[in-house]
Amino acid sequence: MYEGDRGLRENARVTSEFKGDYQELVDEISELLGVPATLENRDFELIAFGAYDSEGDLDPSALDPVRTRSILTRRSTAAVRTWFEGFGITRATGPVRIPPTPEAGVYRGRICLPVRHRGVVLGYVWLLDGDPGPTDAQLAAAMGVAGRIGALLADEAQAGAGLSRELRAVLVTEDGWQRDMAVAELRTALGSRGDGPHTLVCVAPWPSADPDDAPSPRTVPHATALCTLPWGAAGHSLAVLVRLRSTDVTTPALTAAARLLKEAEEAREARSAGARGAGARTAAAAAAGFAAGFAGAAAPVPVAGVGEARTGLTELGAVWREAAAATRAALAEPRFGPVAEWARIGPYRLLTALPPEASHDPAVAPLLTPAHRELARTAEVYLDCAGQAGRTAAALGVHRQTLYYRLSRVEQLTGLDLDEGEDRLLLHMALKAARL
């Protein structure tokens, strides 16, 4: 997050205002107990750590694999989270001692201080246990500091929820005075962070509509605000407002998108054991199973789309439409993914702008039935190859005579003449649009 922004509304204070306070409180606990401490939120995302070392000879075992990964990547894996939660830390109201378990990558014992506010666990302070370790009086004092951290986390959550509501209002409100008001409220909430270049990242399908399941903007590089939005008939997407240094450089948005895709995939794995090890669908697999583009089979692997950068917040609605269009293109054509930029999706910029019913051309409809999937794929590859029979036959791995027979069947089914440019254009557009 960007430092130095002040004077924002109380219910939408920026994360950078909390960051220094978290570090001071974690350092206070480290000093109280004489051991290194780390602070993570309830999703095991690192917020702050204090590398306390009174003698300058910190035991190397303090940097066991679990702690090292948490500090370097700023989060723990779903497996690590499940393992620690098995010790009852989500229900505990006082310190929980966890023994060393080398096979789990935990070489040193831990003491977990649950961070609660009004009875709700919001995070955890982790301490390295030792012999003799902190006294009960020291731990009681540390729990008092953890309570102050809990109040701070609750304030930040409230601020983030406010930004989430205001961003959602901007993206779902139709053009008009209501949308102008929504933009004005978001600008007020962001303060000086609302100036300068921005873009939006769309991740879909997002595993949950529950705001509590969405990552904190603090853990997403360059993110200013985020919210969940409907996607399709029953799905959900995640919208992320990303602040850029220049409209010409979208690297921060690509970085944020990559991080979010990793989170989405981990969430999928945590929710479904059957998804473990499934991996992302490759372009080759998508081509072999071309029918999935026309008759959406299994739930797709999440992808991300990035809209064009704009200065200020006025055009966020257009940026969101571009980001969502890029996401749809990446879901339809894996070669665009896993992160697709609107400027790079070619004809899908036009196809995604069409209303759904516009792509259902009656002439092409017979070709899109399950019985003619191979013919549809043949026609699409032929048109992708600019009507060159040799390239098409090689791409499909068939003899030219087989190709000519299939193309004649396509013409019979559709009534289109593949020697006519407009007929070829119609067929090509309809086949691409069907993927969407």
Side-chain angles (χ1 to χ4, degrees):
M1 304 297 288
Y2 294 81
E3 301 289 343
D5 295 327
R6 291 296 184 268
L8 306 184
R9 295 186 316 182
E10 182 65 19
N11 72 335
R13 286 180 294 165
V14 296
T15 300
S16 59
E17 293 183 37
F18 296 95
K19 186 175 180 180
D21 294 334
Y22 290 132
Q23 189 62 57
E24 289 179 6
L25 291 170
V26 170
D27 288 342
E28 183 177 340
I29 291 178
S30 292
E31 292 290 339
L32 271 173
L33 305 183
V35 295
T38 59
L39 170 64
E40 296 178 336
N41 65 16
R42 61 185 172 194
D43 294 321
F44 283 55
E45 297 165 336
L46 183 68
I47 298 174
F49 67 93
Y52 179 84
D53 181 11
S54 59
E55 302 294 333
D57 59 351
L58 186 64
D59 187 340
S61 66
L63 294 176
D64 60 34
V66 169
R67 188 165 189 264
T68 300
R69 186 187 192 282
S70 174
I71 292 174
L72 293 181
T73 68
R74 305 196 70 82
R75 67 200 314 268
S76 295
T77 65
V80 167
R81 173 179 175 175
T82 300
W83 189 81
F84 277 117
E85 288 178 346
F87 290 91
I89 61 174
T90 60
R91 302 180 301 275
T93 57
V96 177
R97 276 190 157 88
I98 298 172
T101 311
E103 59 269 26
V106 180
Y107 298 161
R108 287 275 300 272
R110 302 285 204 275
I111 301 175
C112 176
L113 307 181
V115 176
R116 292 181 172 273
H117 182 72
R118 296 181 178 176
V120 177
V121 63
L122 299 177
Y124 308 99
V125 172
W126 297 96
L127 314 166
L128 293 175
D129 205 356
D131 187 10
T135 65
D136 290 343
Q138 287 177 310
L139 289 174
M143 283 298 296
V145 180
R148 288 153 56 196
I149 294 174
L152 202 63
L153 283 171
D155 284 347
E156 184 184 359
Q158 182 178 3
L163 279 176
S164 178
R165 286 192 300 270
E166 286 153 359
L167 177 61
R168 183 182 295 107
V170 170
L171 300 185
V172 302
T173 305
E174 298 293 335
D175 290 341
W177 67 270
Q178 288 182 320
R179 187 178 176 282
D180 291 341
M181 288 183 60
V183 170
E185 290 197 6
L186 179 61
R187 182 181 290 111
T188 300
L190 291 173
S192 60
R193 291 185 304 161
D195 302 326
H198 289 84
T199 190
L200 282 160
V201 173
C202 170
V203 181
W206 187 252
S208 172
D210 188 346
D212 290 339
D213 290 337
S216 166
R218 183 198 328 106
T219 66
V220 181
H222 315 291
T224 299
L226 53 81
C227 66
T228 55
L229 292 170
W231 182 264
H236 310 284
S237 64
L238 185 73
V240 186
L241 181 64
V242 177
R243 187 176 179 186
L244 307 173
R245 295 187 180 277
S246 165
T247 55
D248 299 326
V249 180
T250 58
T251 305
L254 302 180
T255 302
R259 175 59 179 272
L260 289 163
L261 287 177
K262 185 176 181 180
E263 296 227 1
E265 188 58 30
E266 289 182 355
R268 277 164 48 93
E269 291 178 352
R271 282 172 168 74
S272 173
R276 297 183 189 281
R281 182 178 62 174
T282 64
F290 180 81
F294 297 135
V301 172
V303 298
V306 180
E308 288 280 89
R310 306 287 205 286
T311 299
L313 306 175
T314 305
E315 297 184 74
L316 282 187
V319 179
W320 173 245
R321 288 190 291 273
E322 294 168 356
T327 304
R328 291 176 62 201
L331 287 169
E333 291 277 11
R335 62 189 171 89
F336 289 133
V339 180
E341 296 181 76
W342 186 81
R344 300 178 184 274
I345 61 174
Y348 281 94
R349 292 198 294 269
L350 293 176
L351 292 171
T352 53
L354 296 174
E357 62 274 10
S359 64
H360 300 159
D361 187 83
V364 185
L367 193 61
L368 302 181
T369 61
H372 299 301
R373 290 169 180 169
E374 192 61 40
L375 290 179
R377 177 171 175 256
T378 297
E380 185 177 28
V381 174
Y382 174 71
L383 295 168
D384 285 346
C385 292
Q388 298 180 27
R391 286 178 56 198
T392 307
L396 293 172
V398 300
H399 193 277
R400 280 202 187 198
Q401 291 303 318
T402 301
L403 171 63
Y404 293 142
Y405 170 75
R406 290 182 183 178
L407 294 177
S408 68
R409 290 281 294 127
V410 169
E411 290 181 323
Q412 292 170 12
L413 282 168
T414 61
L416 300 175
D417 184 351
L418 294 183
D419 289 331
E420 292 293 331
E422 290 189 357
D423 283 2
R424 288 164 70 156
L425 176 61
L426 171 62
L427 179 58
H428 210 179
M429 289 180 62
L431 289 170
K432 295 298 185 185
R435 291 184 176 276
L436 296 170

